[in-house]
């Protein structure tokens, strides 16, 4: 019965949820206390998120609750195959909490925020490059008030000797579209951003004709410039300090303004189509933060046969002026940069590179195979190009089911097959060799027997002839 309910709820989640969503499955009095059954959550930008699936499990409290040290194995109630571990924020990194929860057997870790703030967009990122790849379960954060309400129900039940009465259902889905769109937020000063473009390029090429891909660029306002009404020039900014970037080389010849100029150039190049932008982005990796970055970018544009007059026209027409006044880039506002900055704030972006698909943030590890899979999952009807690369298999949300690619059982199976083939081939060859040898031996024996028979027969004939001769003489 539990399994039937779980399957029914999973199908209901995937059929009705247009975004990742957490709901309280039990108990009903907790739903009444909170006034609703949905619990707003943030998904971390590391770990594995089982997009397109649902997870239903009971909630257990970590011991210690900060999950900063090795945890005892979760002991779920009968029938619970997806235990969810509840931990508190603080004292150590999100990575540490997620890893310890995974090693304790949790299928998901839910972090209770330690401050009263809105839970809007993911802010949990990997603190060490690549370390988050060791986590293969989803990690989420919920608000302090919701978390404390869930925790109270669990602690009250534990005081009565009861196991977890709280069950959560999490649907990992989001809106689909006939032609999905995805945005990759980057900075022209960030090598990691363009390394991400390079890794994803083979997958992006498959999607050029069936998706809308848009590079997006981060910038920040100058606080002092804002107080002055954006009427002063800043060497690291354009438009009176509305759009700025950090100085990429300190005392070197480049400034933040050079980065914003380059980002404006790349926005205009992207309007020529994703293929042309990707060609430029891959080549621009050799130009990033070099003293000759502007010259390098111009030479790259010429090599790719991008008309510089068209790019300059796109940039020139993007400045906002009034009454026919001439644009002054250091002070005039820019409609292209304004759009980037407005969406940057609206999306609540806290790090980059970051991807949004159909307006939803892509959580979990920034793995190109998983990103490709999720873009494909965002189609109403998946095109033929959406075949998952063999080196990026879809993994189970259950850490107990997780096996690295190329597991030992796969090796054993391959060895067994080769052994059977070898034995079969050996048997056939052996049969042919033995048959040939037996035939040779039989032939020798037959010839020898015939020879002996002939000799014996000749001897008998001679004896008969001798006897007949002696009889005639007598």
């Amino acid at each position: 019965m539990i399994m039937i309910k779980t399957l029914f709820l999973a199908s209901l989640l995937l059929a009705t949820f247009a975004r990742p969503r957490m709901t309280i499955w039990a108990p009903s009095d907790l739903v009444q206390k909170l006034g609703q059954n949905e619990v707003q959550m943030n998904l971390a930008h590391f770990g594995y998120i089982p997009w397109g699936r649902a997870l239903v499990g009971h909630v257990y409290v970590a011991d210690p609750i900060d999950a900063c040290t090795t945890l005892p194995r979760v002991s779920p109630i009968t029938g619970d195959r997806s235990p969810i571990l509840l931990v508190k924020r603080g004292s150590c990194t999100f990575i540490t909490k997620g890893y310890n929860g995974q090693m304790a057997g949790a299928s998901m870790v839910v972090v209770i925020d330690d401050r009263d703030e809105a839970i809007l967009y993911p802010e949990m990122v990997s603190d060490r490059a690549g370390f988050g790849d060791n986590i293969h379960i989803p990690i989420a954060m919920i608000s302090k008030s919701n978390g404390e309400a869930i925790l109270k129900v669990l602690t009250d039940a534990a005081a009565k000797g009861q196991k977890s009465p709280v069950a959560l259902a999490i649907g990992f889905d989001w809106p689909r579209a006939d032609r999905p769109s995805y945005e990759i937020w980057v900075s022209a000063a960030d090598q990691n951003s363009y390394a991400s473009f390079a890794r994803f390029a083979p997958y992006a090429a498959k999607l050029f004709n069936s998706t809308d891909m848009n590079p997006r660029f981060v910038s920040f306002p100058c606080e002092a410039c804002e107080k002055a009404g954006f009427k002063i020039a800043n060497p690291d900014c354009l438009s009176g300090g509305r759009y700025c970037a950090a100085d990429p080389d300190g005392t070197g010849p480049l400034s933040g303004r050079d980065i914003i100029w380059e980002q404006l150039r790349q926005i205009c190049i992207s309007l020529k189509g994703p293929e042309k932008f990707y060609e430029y982005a891959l080549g621009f990796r050799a130009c990033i933060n070099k003293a000759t970055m502007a010259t390098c970018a111009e030479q790259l544009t010429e090599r790719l046969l991008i008309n510089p007059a068209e790019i300059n026209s796109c940039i020139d027409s993007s400045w906002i002026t009034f009454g026919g006044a001439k644009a002054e880039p250091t002070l005039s506002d820019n409609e292209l940069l304004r759009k980037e900055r407005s969406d940057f704030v609206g999306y609540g972006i806290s790090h980059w590179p970051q991807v949004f698909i159909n307006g939803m943030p892509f959580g979990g590890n920034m793995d190109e195979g998983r990103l490709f899979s999720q873009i494909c999952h965002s189609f109403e009807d998946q095109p033929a190009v959406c075949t998952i690369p063999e080196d990026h298999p879809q993994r189970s949300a259950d850490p107990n089911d997780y096996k690295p690619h190329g597991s030992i059982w796969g090796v054993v199976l391959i060895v067994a097959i080769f052994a059977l083939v070898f034995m079969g081939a050996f048997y056939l060859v052996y049969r042919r060799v033995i048959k040939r040898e037996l035939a040779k031996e039989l032939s020798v024996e037959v010839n020898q027997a015939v020879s002996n028979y002939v000799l014996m027969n000749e001897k008998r004939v001679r004896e008969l002839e001798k006897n007949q001769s002696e009889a005639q003489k007598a």
Side-chain angles (χ1 to χ4, degrees):
M1 182 60 69
I2 292 175
M3 182 59 67
I4 292 174
K5 287 183 176 180
T6 300
L7 291 174
F8 170 75
L9 182 58
S11 62
L12 184 64
L13 285 166
L14 294 179
T16 60
F17 288 3
R19 56 184 171 81
R21 186 173 177 180
M22 177 187 291
T23 59
I24 299 172
W25 184 234
S28 57
D29 56 347
L30 177 58
V31 176
Q32 293 174 358
K33 182 176 181 180
L34 295 177
Q36 59 181 7
N37 68 342
E38 181 176 353
V39 178
Q40 197 168 33
M41 68 171 179
N42 269 348
L43 292 172
H45 275 275
F46 57 86
Y48 171 57
I49 299 176
W51 297 115
R53 299 173 59 186
L55 184 152
V56 181
H58 284 260
V59 183
Y60 306 87
V61 181
D63 182 21
I65 196 168
D66 64 5
C68 291
T69 56
T70 302
L71 301 172
R73 191 77 180 174
V74 176
S75 179
I77 64 177
T78 303
D80 185 7
R81 295 190 67 252
S82 302
I84 300 169
L85 198 65
L86 190 68
V87 309
K88 278 191 172 181
R89 183 177 184 175
S91 303
C92 62
T93 65
F94 296 121
I95 289 282
T96 300
K97 297 177 190 294
Y99 184 76
N100 288 336
Q102 172 181 275
M103 298 307 292
S107 291
M108 181 174 182
V109 170
V110 174
V111 182
I112 303 174
D113 202 353
D114 61 354
R115 62 200 71 170
D116 294 313
E117 59 182 355
I119 302 294
L120 295 175
Y121 289 100
E123 294 182 356
M124 293 185 288
V125 297
S126 178
D127 58 343
R128 280 178 277 176
F131 191 72
D133 293 344
N134 295 323
I135 299 178
H136 310 295
I137 61 174
I139 316 295
M141 181 186 288
I142 60 175
S143 70
K144 182 180 180 182
S145 59
N146 286 338
E148 289 179 345
I150 294 173
L151 181 60
K152 186 176 188 310
V153 173
L154 293 171
T155 53
D156 288 349
K160 299 175 183 177
Q162 301 173 354
K163 279 204 170 183
S164 172
V166 179
L168 299 178
I170 301 93
F172 299 96
D173 213 333
W174 57 27
R176 299 172 185 257
D178 292 330
R179 186 180 178 88
S181 63
Y182 66 101
E183 304 171 354
I184 304 179
W185 285 85
V186 298
S187 165
D190 179 32
Q191 285 279 4
N192 287 333
S193 294
Y194 289 84
S196 296
F197 279 130
R199 289 193 299 270
F200 190 63
Y203 303 88
K206 294 183 177 183
L207 299 168
F208 283 157
N209 296 326
S210 54
T211 62
D212 293 321
M213 176 271 175
N214 296 295
R216 306 298 300 273
F217 297 91
V218 303
S219 66
F220 303 91
C222 160
E223 185 175 349
C225 302
E226 186 174 8
K227 290 180 179 179
F230 297 119
K231 295 180 180 178
I232 58 176
N234 184 299
D236 289 322
C237 311
L238 286 177
S239 303
R242 293 177 177 86
Y243 317 110
C244 309
D247 189 328
D249 61 354
T251 58
L254 294 179
S255 66
R257 183 181 296 172
D258 295 315
I259 301 302
I260 301 299
W261 267 116
E262 177 57 33
Q263 293 185 168
L264 188 54
R265 179 207 303 270
Q266 293 192 26
I267 292 172
C268 288
I269 291 175
S270 71
L271 297 178
K272 300 182 75 63
E275 298 96 330
K276 190 59 67 177
F277 172 78
Y278 255 95
E279 288 181 3
Y280 183 88
L282 296 181
F284 183 70
R285 295 180 68 190
C287 305
I288 296 177
N289 297 340
K290 286 188 174 181
T292 57
M293 185 176 71
T295 303
C296 179
E298 289 173 359
Q299 292 173 347
L300 175 61
T301 301
E302 293 177 1
R303 265 198 324 273
L304 297 177
L305 304 179
I306 299 174
N307 189 337
E310 292 180 0
I311 303 304
N312 291 334
S313 175
C314 171
I315 294 173
D316 292 343
S317 63
S318 65
W319 300 107
I320 300 173
T321 58
F322 301 95
K326 184 179 179 180
E328 174 51 57
T330 57
L331 296 175
S332 300
D333 202 352
N334 184 284
E335 61 180 356
L336 295 177
L337 295 176
R338 176 190 283 184
K339 172 64 174 173
E340 299 297 289
R341 178 62 191 166
S342 175
D343 289 348
F344 177 85
V345 174
Y347 286 171
I349 292 173
S350 59
H351 68 282
W352 50 91
Q354 185 171 352
V355 180
F356 280 71
I357 308 173
N358 289 345
M360 292 295 295
F362 174 77
N365 293 333
M366 185 67 175
D367 175 273
E368 55 273 15
R370 289 176 176 170
L371 176 56
F372 177 75
S373 174
Q374 183 52 25
I375 293 174
C376 285
H377 179 69
S378 301
F379 283 91
E380 286 287 358
D381 297 305
Q382 288 192 8
V385 296
C386 283
T387 53
I388 306 302
E390 293 181 359
D391 57 339
H392 287 92
Q394 290 295 287
R395 302 174 182 173
S396 169
D398 185 348
N400 298 314
D401 293 340
Y402 173 73
K403 298 177 180 63
H405 181 55
S407 66
I408 185 64
W409 294 112
V411 175
V412 170
L413 179 60
I414 292 173
V415 170
I417 292 173
F418 273 104
L420 289 173
V421 172
F422 175 80
M423 290 175 65
F426 179 80
Y427 175 72
L428 292 174
V429 172
Y430 179 78
R431 279 191 61 185
R432 294 186 63 181
V433 171
I434 292 299
K435 190 173 181 179
R436 186 168 59 248
E437 292 298 322
L438 287 173
K440 289 171 63 177
E441 288 185 11
L442 183 60
S443 177
V444 170
E445 290 179 1
V446 169
N447 290 335
Q448 186 174 0
V450 170
S451 298
N452 291 336
Y453 175 79
V454 171
L455 289 173
M456 290 176 63
N457 190 54
E458 288 178 351
K459 185 177 180 181
R460 286 185 63 189
V461 169
R462 284 196 299 272
E463 288 179 351
L464 287 172
E465 290 177 349
K466 181 180 179 183
N467 291 336
Q468 288 177 355
S469 176
E470 290 178 350
Q472 290 176 354
K473 290 179 181 180

